[in-house]
Amino acid sequence: QVQLVESGGGLVQAGGSLRLSCVASGTALVPTAMAWYRQAPDNQRNLVAAIVGGGVTRYGDSVQGRFSISRDKAFKTVYLQMNNLKPEDTAVYYCKMRYNYAQEYWGNGTLVTVSS
């Protein structure tokens, strides 16, 4: 059973930085895709960043140039470096990993709050 655990969320002032981490356990398989999503109160869950294939990355338009996604060499941890944070970045951030066409897992989320 795969378990994903996020960490690194917290309270930060606008313009500050945070780094989120997500660690996978319970499998020896390598994920085919790793991603971060976020969900603000009473809103839909949106893609923030993803890393797939041979390291190709993609980002949501609202975070392009400010956030960066990376992974460790063992493909067990995915990171989200968040710079120049804005109040509209406030949300619960969720980690997702896909291992094949039939297996996709989510973490329970970590709260990021950006004050103005």
Side-chain angles (χ1 to χ4, degrees):
Q1 184 176 19
V2 177
Q3 183 179 15
L4 306 181
V5 179
E6 302 101 333
S7 63
L11 175 64
V12 64
Q13 290 187 342
S17 298
L18 286 173
R19 190 181 76 158
L20 306 183
S21 299
C22 175
V23 180
S25 62
T27 181
L29 298 175
V30 175
T32 57
M34 309 167 86
W36 289 94
Y37 289 73
R38 68 186 183 187
Q39 186 169 17
D42 301 320
N43 216 329
Q44 65 182 41
R45 189 173 298 185
N46 297 314
L47 175 69
V48 176
I51 184 166
V52 298
V56 176
T57 59
R58 62 187 180 100
Y59 298 91
D61 290 341
S62 63
V63 305
Q64 183 72 45
R66 299 188 297 119
F67 292 8
S68 63
I69 188 170
S70 61
R71 63 194 180 200
D72 71 335
K73 293 182 178 181
F75 284 60
K76 289 294 184 181
T77 307
V78 61
Y79 304 96
L80 183 68
Q81 179 66 47
M82 304 184 293
N83 298 322
N84 192 24
L85 284 161
K86 303 176 180 180
E88 54 262 41
D89 295 320
T90 296
V92 177
Y93 284 71
Y94 297 90
C95 173
K96 184 183 77 174
M97 297 191 188
R98 186 196 314 129
Y99 288 84
N100 53 44
Y101 294 114
Q103 299 183 52
E104 188 175 88
Y105 301 93
W106 292 87
N108 292 130
T110 184
L111 177 63
V112 172
T113 303
V114 184
S115 62
S116 60

